[in-house]
Amino acid sequence: MDDRLKGLKKAMDTHTFRHVPFTEEKKARMKRGMERVEENDLFVQGHILQLLLAERTGHELIQLLRARGLKRFLEEEGFLYATLHQYEKDRWIESIWRDGVKSYRMTSTGRKLLEKQLKKKERVFSLKEILEGGSHE
Amino acid sequence: MNERKFEYLDRVTSYIKSKEAKRYVEEELHYHLHQEIARLMLDGYSREEAEQQAIEQMGSPDRLGAEMNKLHRPRFDWVLALMVFVISLIGILPLLTMSSDLKIFAGFLPNKILSLVISSVIILLFMWIPYQKLVKFKRFFFILSFVMMWLILEFGIIVNGAPYFVIKDGFVLSSFSVLTILFLAWLSYLGDSEASLLWGSILLVVSVYFFMIVPDLSATLMYVTIVGILLWVRFPERRKTFVMMVASFIVVFSTYVFINIDSIERYQLERLLAFINPENYKDNAGYNYINNKELLSKSGWFGQEGGQIDLVEFHTDFAFVNLTYHYGWLLGGFTILLGMLIAARMLRKLSNIRDPFGRLIILGGVSLYSFQFLYNIMMVVGVVPYIAISLPFISYGLTSTVQYSMIIGLFLSVFRRQNLVRITEDRGASK
């Protein structure tokens, strides 16, 4: 870096940014945020809906999503429930209480949505194959 | 030791305004924490560590609480409310065509305005009360209806052939009022999971006897039809039994009529014949059919001038003829359309409702309302015989106002709580 820029950086570190330290914790959080950007809403939705082809509780879903490597709900498990409640409002899934335990399962509307999404995914994949001339996982 | 867990839960639910949603969210998140703590303890964490870890994993309670609150707001059907508002206003119009003496001094117009205020109060009241609470009052409603029946039969004064029990000036109990209370009673009874078809049928036979001895033919017909529909919806597994019971009842009833055909009152027979061929009964029973037809055909698109016309029941049973004659078929047709749209909309929203009791309430209410609305319209155009049924919203009358307001209010109550209702299933049972 240019000397003058180095000087500017030093000055800002001493004055402007003194009270906003870039701690390790913040670094880790930002890194997580950047990783999550790759997991867009549609992506997460597809996984959740697919898993709900069977009846499951929220807690079971968290474990399964974690096992699939989804980072969206790490350290934010409560928000899976917000998502589930939103899907329930959209009538993609429905909830059942059994013995005081709430579980979720797909509705026919949700099933149709999932089928549509899977079809789209297939098309994208085959196009990719043609362009890149190889097979993808 | 468990304080942190409850602290977290309380913090999240503090953002949720709806009482029912608060409870369900708390229960669900509590279960999650319970499971997660157990899982972490299996992994070797101590109880305190597991609790702390599980809570941290949940994320910000404030953000979650705010989002839950946004998701679980009570719902209101603005479109329906608007339609009810408009048609209620149209209901004032027939009274404006009266001569000023009747309008103001006999109190018709002020009373109608008052009944609209009462209507709003009743709608809001029923909307606010959680409809599930109805079940607790099933005994009360049935007892109340029997008390009313007794009052009417023992102390009622006969007006135009029908008994009324006068509570105060202008406030009377009629068999129609009993019908309204019985409607509530049936909803409350059938909302209970313990309801039985057998006892229900016995109750139906006993109570319909009242309407038959008044005698109130229209109420009898409505009562049997509506309760029949309610029983049909409520006991889907017993439909074959139900059909057999109805069939045997029809057989018994027809035999009774056939045996007693000689003693059927002359005027009753006359009324039926007058419907079939009004011309032959021009001066008595057939007059209304002919008169209504004539007035309706003269109405045109925008109505006729002419103040008071020769029309009986122009503010009650034949209010539609009055409305159409003075304001035209454009408005008349619009009123029919609006009345039917209200029923259609309530039926359409049924698909949003998962709670069986809520569905029963809406189906029962729509049936009771549509029966009256449709029958009255068909009656004034001459398609079906005359029985004393008034047109909801348009006809004048407090008992009718109370009934349809109750139906609208109950619908809004069910609609409001559609996302807040707990659907339970027994272990092992699934679709």
mmCIF file of all heavy atoms in Angstrom, chain B residues 308-342:
data_model
loop_
_atom_site.group_PDB
_atom_site.id
_atom_site.type_symbol
_atom_site.label_atom_id
_atom_site.label_comp_id
_atom_site.label_asym_id
_atom_site.label_seq_id
_atom_site.Cartn_x
_atom_site.Cartn_y
_atom_site.Cartn_z
ATOM 1 N N GLN B 308 -96.672 5.562 -1.253
ATOM 2 C CA GLN B 308 -97.257 4.348 -0.685
ATOM 3 C C GLN B 308 -97.965 3.541 -1.758
ATOM 4 O O GLN B 308 -98.760 4.048 -2.530
ATOM 5 C CB GLN B 308 -98.283 4.746 0.386
ATOM 6 C CG GLN B 308 -98.653 3.623 1.300
ATOM 7 C CD GLN B 308 -97.659 3.463 2.417
ATOM 8 O OE1 GLN B 308 -96.477 3.816 2.270
ATOM 9 N NE2 GLN B 308 -98.111 2.945 3.527
ATOM 10 N N ILE B 309 -97.661 2.288 -1.824
ATOM 11 C CA ILE B 309 -98.336 1.449 -2.803
ATOM 12 C C ILE B 309 -99.160 0.388 -2.090
ATOM 13 O O ILE B 309 -99.017 0.191 -0.895
ATOM 14 C CB ILE B 309 -97.327 0.745 -3.737
ATOM 15 C CG1 ILE B 309 -96.222 0.115 -2.884
ATOM 16 C CG2 ILE B 309 -96.768 1.703 -4.749
ATOM 17 C CD1 ILE B 309 -95.313 -0.764 -3.676
ATOM 18 N N ASP B 310 -99.962 -0.251 -2.848
ATOM 19 C CA ASP B 310 -100.831 -1.263 -2.271
ATOM 20 C C ASP B 310 -100.049 -2.557 -2.106
ATOM 21 O O ASP B 310 -100.059 -3.427 -2.968
ATOM 22 C CB ASP B 310 -102.032 -1.474 -3.198
ATOM 23 C CG ASP B 310 -103.041 -2.427 -2.570
ATOM 24 O OD1 ASP B 310 -102.958 -2.633 -1.337
ATOM 25 O OD2 ASP B 310 -103.869 -2.956 -3.305
ATOM 26 N N LEU B 311 -99.378 -2.676 -1.001
ATOM 27 C CA LEU B 311 -98.556 -3.863 -0.782
ATOM 28 C C LEU B 311 -98.551 -4.191 0.703
ATOM 29 O O LEU B 311 -98.205 -3.364 1.533
ATOM 30 C CB LEU B 311 -97.112 -3.590 -1.258
ATOM 31 C CG LEU B 311 -96.081 -4.678 -0.994
ATOM 32 C CD1 LEU B 311 -96.404 -5.924 -1.794
ATOM 33 C CD2 LEU B 311 -94.697 -4.180 -1.360
ATOM 34 N N VAL B 312 -98.953 -5.407 0.997
ATOM 35 C CA VAL B 312 -98.902 -5.796 2.403
ATOM 36 C C VAL B 312 -97.487 -6.183 2.762
ATOM 37 O O VAL B 312 -96.669 -6.476 1.911
ATOM 38 C CB VAL B 312 -99.854 -6.977 2.708
ATOM 39 C CG1 VAL B 312 -101.270 -6.616 2.369
ATOM 40 C CG2 VAL B 312 -99.410 -8.201 1.940
ATOM 41 N N GLU B 313 -97.192 -6.193 4.040
ATOM 42 C CA GLU B 313 -95.876 -6.637 4.500
ATOM 43 C C GLU B 313 -94.753 -5.949 3.736
ATOM 44 O O GLU B 313 -93.726 -6.544 3.461
ATOM 45 C CB GLU B 313 -95.725 -8.160 4.323
ATOM 46 C CG GLU B 313 -96.798 -8.985 4.996
ATOM 47 C CD GLU B 313 -96.595 -9.091 6.498
ATOM 48 O OE1 GLU B 313 -95.620 -8.523 7.022
ATOM 49 O OE2 GLU B 313 -97.442 -9.711 7.149
ATOM 50 N N PHE B 314 -94.957 -4.687 3.415
ATOM 51 C CA PHE B 314 -93.985 -4.066 2.535
ATOM 52 C C PHE B 314 -92.667 -3.752 3.237
ATOM 53 O O PHE B 314 -91.701 -3.381 2.611
ATOM 54 C CB PHE B 314 -94.545 -2.792 1.907
ATOM 55 C CG PHE B 314 -94.948 -1.769 2.937
ATOM 56 C CD1 PHE B 314 -94.027 -0.851 3.413
ATOM 57 C CD2 PHE B 314 -96.234 -1.753 3.431
ATOM 58 C CE1 PHE B 314 -94.407 0.087 4.357
ATOM 59 C CE2 PHE B 314 -96.611 -0.824 4.376
ATOM 60 C CZ PHE B 314 -95.698 0.110 4.843
ATOM 61 N N HIS B 315 -92.673 -3.859 4.555
ATOM 62 C CA HIS B 315 -91.412 -3.613 5.238
ATOM 63 C C HIS B 315 -90.820 -4.906 5.786
ATOM 64 O O HIS B 315 -89.708 -4.913 6.265
ATOM 65 C CB HIS B 315 -91.599 -2.612 6.373
ATOM 66 C CG HIS B 315 -92.612 -3.062 7.386
ATOM 67 N ND1 HIS B 315 -93.892 -3.393 7.074
ATOM 68 C CD2 HIS B 315 -92.501 -3.240 8.720
ATOM 69 C CE1 HIS B 315 -94.551 -3.737 8.155
ATOM 70 N NE2 HIS B 315 -93.739 -3.664 9.176
ATOM 71 N N THR B 316 -91.567 -6.012 5.690
ATOM 72 C CA THR B 316 -91.034 -7.279 6.185
ATOM 73 C C THR B 316 -90.911 -8.298 5.055
ATOM 74 O O THR B 316 -89.965 -8.257 4.277
ATOM 75 C CB THR B 316 -91.890 -7.853 7.316
ATOM 76 O OG1 THR B 316 -93.236 -7.930 6.857
ATOM 77 C CG2 THR B 316 -91.803 -6.970 8.538
ATOM 78 N N ASP B 317 -91.888 -9.204 4.949
ATOM 79 C CA ASP B 317 -91.714 -10.298 4.005
ATOM 80 C C ASP B 317 -91.565 -9.835 2.557
ATOM 81 O O ASP B 317 -90.843 -10.434 1.779
ATOM 82 C CB ASP B 317 -92.906 -11.260 4.067
ATOM 83 C CG ASP B 317 -92.997 -11.939 5.432
ATOM 84 O OD1 ASP B 317 -92.035 -11.791 6.220
ATOM 85 O OD2 ASP B 317 -94.003 -12.599 5.704
ATOM 86 N N PHE B 318 -92.293 -8.768 2.203
ATOM 87 C CA PHE B 318 -92.240 -8.338 0.814
ATOM 88 C C PHE B 318 -91.396 -7.092 0.623
ATOM 89 O O PHE B 318 -91.573 -6.339 -0.329
ATOM 90 C CB PHE B 318 -93.658 -8.095 0.284
ATOM 91 C CG PHE B 318 -94.496 -9.340 0.254
ATOM 92 C CD1 PHE B 318 -95.853 -9.279 0.486
ATOM 93 C CD2 PHE B 318 -93.915 -10.574 0.004
ATOM 94 C CE1 PHE B 318 -96.639 -10.432 0.463
ATOM 95 C CE2 PHE B 318 -94.682 -11.727 -0.018
ATOM 96 C CZ PHE B 318 -96.042 -11.658 0.212
ATOM 97 N N ALA B 319 -90.467 -6.873 1.518
ATOM 98 C CA ALA B 319 -89.631 -5.670 1.449
ATOM 99 C C ALA B 319 -88.909 -5.582 0.113
ATOM 100 O O ALA B 319 -88.647 -4.485 -0.385
ATOM 101 C CB ALA B 319 -88.627 -5.659 2.593
ATOM 102 N N PHE B 320 -88.591 -6.733 -0.469
ATOM 103 C CA PHE B 320 -87.866 -6.700 -1.732
ATOM 104 C C PHE B 320 -88.727 -6.103 -2.837
ATOM 105 O O PHE B 320 -88.227 -5.369 -3.698
ATOM 106 C CB PHE B 320 -87.412 -8.107 -2.123
ATOM 107 C CG PHE B 320 -86.672 -8.135 -3.427
ATOM 108 C CD1 PHE B 320 -85.367 -7.706 -3.501
ATOM 109 C CD2 PHE B 320 -87.299 -8.559 -4.593
ATOM 110 C CE1 PHE B 320 -84.680 -7.704 -4.706
ATOM 111 C CE2 PHE B 320 -86.623 -8.561 -5.804
ATOM 112 C CZ PHE B 320 -85.314 -8.126 -5.860
ATOM 113 N N VAL B 321 -90.016 -6.427 -2.802
ATOM 114 C CA VAL B 321 -90.913 -5.872 -3.830
ATOM 115 C C VAL B 321 -90.958 -4.356 -3.688
ATOM 116 O O VAL B 321 -90.886 -3.607 -4.664
ATOM 117 C CB VAL B 321 -92.332 -6.460 -3.681
ATOM 118 C CG1 VAL B 321 -93.240 -5.906 -4.760
ATOM 119 C CG2 VAL B 321 -92.277 -7.970 -3.771
ATOM 120 N N ASN B 322 -91.070 -3.916 -2.434
ATOM 121 C CA ASN B 322 -91.081 -2.490 -2.129
ATOM 122 C C ASN B 322 -89.815 -1.821 -2.651
ATOM 123 O O ASN B 322 -89.847 -0.802 -3.335
ATOM 124 C CB ASN B 322 -91.194 -2.324 -0.609
ATOM 125 C CG ASN B 322 -91.349 -0.875 -0.204
ATOM 126 O OD1 ASN B 322 -91.390 0.019 -1.047
ATOM 127 N ND2 ASN B 322 -91.439 -0.658 1.087
ATOM 128 N N LEU B 323 -88.683 -2.432 -2.354
ATOM 129 C CA LEU B 323 -87.394 -1.884 -2.759
ATOM 130 C C LEU B 323 -87.301 -1.766 -4.275
ATOM 131 O O LEU B 323 -86.928 -0.732 -4.822
ATOM 132 C CB LEU B 323 -86.277 -2.804 -2.241
ATOM 133 C CG LEU B 323 -84.844 -2.370 -2.544
ATOM 134 C CD1 LEU B 323 -84.434 -1.278 -1.590
ATOM 135 C CD2 LEU B 323 -83.891 -3.549 -2.423
ATOM 136 N N THR B 324 -87.670 -2.847 -4.944
ATOM 137 C CA THR B 324 -87.512 -2.876 -6.391
ATOM 138 C C THR B 324 -88.510 -1.944 -7.074
ATOM 139 O O THR B 324 -88.179 -1.273 -8.049
ATOM 140 C CB THR B 324 -87.705 -4.310 -6.911
ATOM 141 O OG1 THR B 324 -86.898 -5.178 -6.143
ATOM 142 C CG2 THR B 324 -87.307 -4.422 -8.365
ATOM 143 N N TYR B 325 -89.722 -1.906 -6.561
ATOM 144 C CA TYR B 325 -90.720 -1.046 -7.203
ATOM 145 C C TYR B 325 -90.291 0.413 -7.148
ATOM 146 O O TYR B 325 -90.427 1.142 -8.125
ATOM 147 C CB TYR B 325 -92.084 -1.218 -6.536
ATOM 148 C CG TYR B 325 -93.158 -0.384 -7.182
ATOM 149 C CD1 TYR B 325 -93.759 -0.808 -8.373
ATOM 150 C CD2 TYR B 325 -93.556 0.834 -6.638
ATOM 151 C CE1 TYR B 325 -94.728 -0.042 -8.988
ATOM 152 C CE2 TYR B 325 -94.522 1.604 -7.248
ATOM 153 C CZ TYR B 325 -95.116 1.162 -8.427
ATOM 154 O OH TYR B 325 -96.055 1.928 -9.035
ATOM 155 N N HIS B 326 -89.770 0.846 -6.007
ATOM 156 C CA HIS B 326 -89.438 2.263 -5.855
ATOM 157 C C HIS B 326 -88.058 2.630 -6.382
ATOM 158 O O HIS B 326 -87.820 3.772 -6.747
ATOM 159 C CB HIS B 326 -89.521 2.667 -4.382
ATOM 160 C CG HIS B 326 -90.919 2.805 -3.898
ATOM 161 N ND1 HIS B 326 -91.499 1.910 -3.029
ATOM 162 C CD2 HIS B 326 -91.871 3.721 -4.176
ATOM 163 C CE1 HIS B 326 -92.745 2.277 -2.782
ATOM 164 N NE2 HIS B 326 -92.996 3.374 -3.470
ATOM 165 N N TYR B 327 -87.140 1.659 -6.406
ATOM 166 C CA TYR B 327 -85.784 2.001 -6.818
ATOM 167 C C TYR B 327 -85.333 1.292 -8.073
ATOM 168 O O TYR B 327 -84.244 1.558 -8.573
ATOM 169 C CB TYR B 327 -84.796 1.694 -5.676
ATOM 170 C CG TYR B 327 -85.074 2.491 -4.421
ATOM 171 C CD1 TYR B 327 -85.870 1.966 -3.416
ATOM 172 C CD2 TYR B 327 -84.552 3.768 -4.259
ATOM 173 C CE1 TYR B 327 -86.148 2.690 -2.276
ATOM 174 C CE2 TYR B 327 -84.818 4.503 -3.118
ATOM 175 C CZ TYR B 327 -85.625 3.961 -2.130
ATOM 176 O OH TYR B 327 -85.880 4.697 -1.010
ATOM 177 N N GLY B 328 -86.137 0.367 -8.554
ATOM 178 C CA GLY B 328 -85.818 -0.255 -9.833
ATOM 179 C C GLY B 328 -85.071 -1.566 -9.721
ATOM 180 O O GLY B 328 -84.508 -1.902 -8.684
ATOM 181 N N TRP B 329 -85.045 -2.284 -10.852
ATOM 182 C CA TRP B 329 -84.405 -3.587 -10.889
ATOM 183 C C TRP B 329 -82.895 -3.502 -10.846
ATOM 184 O O TRP B 329 -82.211 -4.465 -10.491
ATOM 185 C CB TRP B 329 -84.844 -4.366 -12.127
ATOM 186 C CG TRP B 329 -86.050 -5.206 -11.862
ATOM 187 C CD1 TRP B 329 -87.326 -4.961 -12.230
ATOM 188 C CD2 TRP B 329 -86.075 -6.437 -11.121
ATOM 189 N NE1 TRP B 329 -88.171 -5.958 -11.784
ATOM 190 C CE2 TRP B 329 -87.431 -6.873 -11.094
ATOM 191 C CE3 TRP B 329 -85.111 -7.211 -10.472
ATOM 192 C CZ2 TRP B 329 -87.826 -8.056 -10.464
ATOM 193 C CZ3 TRP B 329 -85.508 -8.390 -9.836
ATOM 194 C CH2 TRP B 329 -86.861 -8.787 -9.843
ATOM 195 N N LEU B 330 -82.346 -2.355 -11.213
ATOM 196 C CA LEU B 330 -80.898 -2.202 -11.132
ATOM 197 C C LEU B 330 -80.464 -2.405 -9.675
ATOM 198 O O LEU B 330 -79.568 -3.198 -9.377
ATOM 199 C CB LEU B 330 -80.491 -0.804 -11.600
ATOM 200 C CG LEU B 330 -79.089 -0.679 -12.181
ATOM 201 C CD1 LEU B 330 -78.888 -1.653 -13.330
ATOM 202 C CD2 LEU B 330 -78.843 0.740 -12.668
ATOM 203 N N LEU B 331 -81.159 -1.690 -8.794
ATOM 204 C CA LEU B 331 -80.828 -1.848 -7.382
ATOM 205 C C LEU B 331 -81.295 -3.198 -6.850
ATOM 206 O O LEU B 331 -80.594 -3.856 -6.084
ATOM 207 C CB LEU B 331 -81.462 -0.717 -6.560
ATOM 208 C CG LEU B 331 -81.071 -0.750 -5.086
ATOM 209 C CD1 LEU B 331 -79.594 -0.449 -4.924
ATOM 210 C CD2 LEU B 331 -81.899 0.230 -4.269
ATOM 211 N N GLY B 332 -82.481 -3.611 -7.289
ATOM 212 C CA GLY B 332 -83.019 -4.882 -6.819
ATOM 213 C C GLY B 332 -82.104 -6.041 -7.172
ATOM 214 O O GLY B 332 -81.783 -6.895 -6.341
ATOM 215 N N GLY B 333 -81.682 -6.045 -8.439
ATOM 216 C CA GLY B 333 -80.785 -7.099 -8.886
ATOM 217 C C GLY B 333 -79.463 -7.058 -8.144
ATOM 218 O O GLY B 333 -78.914 -8.091 -7.742
ATOM 219 N N PHE B 334 -78.964 -5.835 -7.928
ATOM 220 C CA PHE B 334 -77.716 -5.674 -7.202
ATOM 221 C C PHE B 334 -77.844 -6.221 -5.788
ATOM 222 O O PHE B 334 -76.925 -6.860 -5.264
ATOM 223 C CB PHE B 334 -77.326 -4.190 -7.156
ATOM 224 C CG PHE B 334 -76.120 -3.907 -6.327
ATOM 225 C CD1 PHE B 334 -74.859 -4.282 -6.760
ATOM 226 C CD2 PHE B 334 -76.241 -3.278 -5.090
ATOM 227 C CE1 PHE B 334 -73.734 -4.036 -5.981
ATOM 228 C CE2 PHE B 334 -75.126 -3.030 -4.311
ATOM 229 C CZ PHE B 334 -73.870 -3.406 -4.759
ATOM 230 N N THR B 335 -78.984 -5.981 -5.168
ATOM 231 C CA THR B 335 -79.208 -6.471 -3.802
ATOM 232 C C THR B 335 -79.185 -7.993 -3.748
ATOM 233 O O THR B 335 -78.570 -8.581 -2.855
ATOM 234 C CB THR B 335 -80.558 -5.961 -3.261
ATOM 235 O OG1 THR B 335 -80.602 -4.544 -3.410
ATOM 236 C CG2 THR B 335 -80.731 -6.331 -1.816
ATOM 237 N N ILE B 336 -79.851 -8.620 -4.716
ATOM 238 C CA ILE B 336 -79.836 -10.093 -4.755
ATOM 239 C C ILE B 336 -78.401 -10.580 -4.892
ATOM 240 O O ILE B 336 -77.943 -11.481 -4.185
ATOM 241 C CB ILE B 336 -80.674 -10.630 -5.924
ATOM 242 C CG1 ILE B 336 -82.124 -10.243 -5.776
ATOM 243 C CG2 ILE B 336 -80.544 -12.137 -6.027
ATOM 244 C CD1 ILE B 336 -82.996 -10.707 -6.921
ATOM 245 N N LEU B 337 -77.670 -9.952 -5.824
ATOM 246 C CA LEU B 337 -76.289 -10.339 -6.074
ATOM 247 C C LEU B 337 -75.450 -10.206 -4.809
ATOM 248 O O LEU B 337 -74.718 -11.117 -4.416
ATOM 249 C CB LEU B 337 -75.707 -9.437 -7.168
ATOM 250 C CG LEU B 337 -74.331 -9.838 -7.682
ATOM 251 C CD1 LEU B 337 -74.418 -11.175 -8.386
ATOM 252 C CD2 LEU B 337 -73.789 -8.780 -8.620
ATOM 253 N N LEU B 338 -75.596 -9.062 -4.153
ATOM 254 C CA LEU B 338 -74.797 -8.811 -2.950
ATOM 255 C C LEU B 338 -75.116 -9.820 -1.855
ATOM 256 O O LEU B 338 -74.232 -10.363 -1.204
ATOM 257 C CB LEU B 338 -75.066 -7.386 -2.467
ATOM 258 C CG LEU B 338 -74.096 -6.802 -1.445
ATOM 259 C CD1 LEU B 338 -72.673 -6.896 -1.963
ATOM 260 C CD2 LEU B 338 -74.455 -5.358 -1.152
ATOM 261 N N GLY B 339 -76.420 -10.079 -1.673
ATOM 262 C CA GLY B 339 -76.829 -11.043 -0.659
ATOM 263 C C GLY B 339 -76.233 -12.412 -0.900
ATOM 264 O O GLY B 339 -75.779 -13.088 0.033
ATOM 265 N N MET B 340 -76.189 -12.814 -2.168
ATOM 266 C CA MET B 340 -75.629 -14.119 -2.503
ATOM 267 C C MET B 340 -74.108 -14.115 -2.410
ATOM 268 O O MET B 340 -73.490 -15.103 -2.013
ATOM 269 C CB MET B 340 -76.070 -14.538 -3.909
ATOM 270 C CG MET B 340 -77.564 -14.722 -4.041
ATOM 271 S SD MET B 340 -78.141 -16.309 -3.378
ATOM 272 C CE MET B 340 -78.005 -16.079 -1.625
ATOM 273 N N LEU B 341 -73.495 -12.995 -2.760
ATOM 274 C CA LEU B 341 -72.043 -12.905 -2.665
ATOM 275 C C LEU B 341 -71.574 -13.058 -1.225
ATOM 276 O O LEU B 341 -70.524 -13.642 -0.952
ATOM 277 C CB LEU B 341 -71.551 -11.555 -3.209
ATOM 278 C CG LEU B 341 -71.355 -11.476 -4.715
ATOM 279 C CD1 LEU B 341 -70.885 -10.093 -5.123
ATOM 280 C CD2 LEU B 341 -70.323 -12.515 -5.163
ATOM 281 N N ILE B 342 -72.360 -12.515 -0.298
ATOM 282 C CA ILE B 342 -71.999 -12.640 1.112
ATOM 283 C C ILE B 342 -71.941 -14.115 1.497
ATOM 284 O O ILE B 342 -70.993 -14.559 2.143
ATOM 285 C CB ILE B 342 -72.994 -11.859 1.994
ATOM 286 C CG1 ILE B 342 -72.753 -10.355 1.826
ATOM 287 C CG2 ILE B 342 -72.879 -12.257 3.451
ATOM 288 C CD1 ILE B 342 -73.753 -9.489 2.546
#
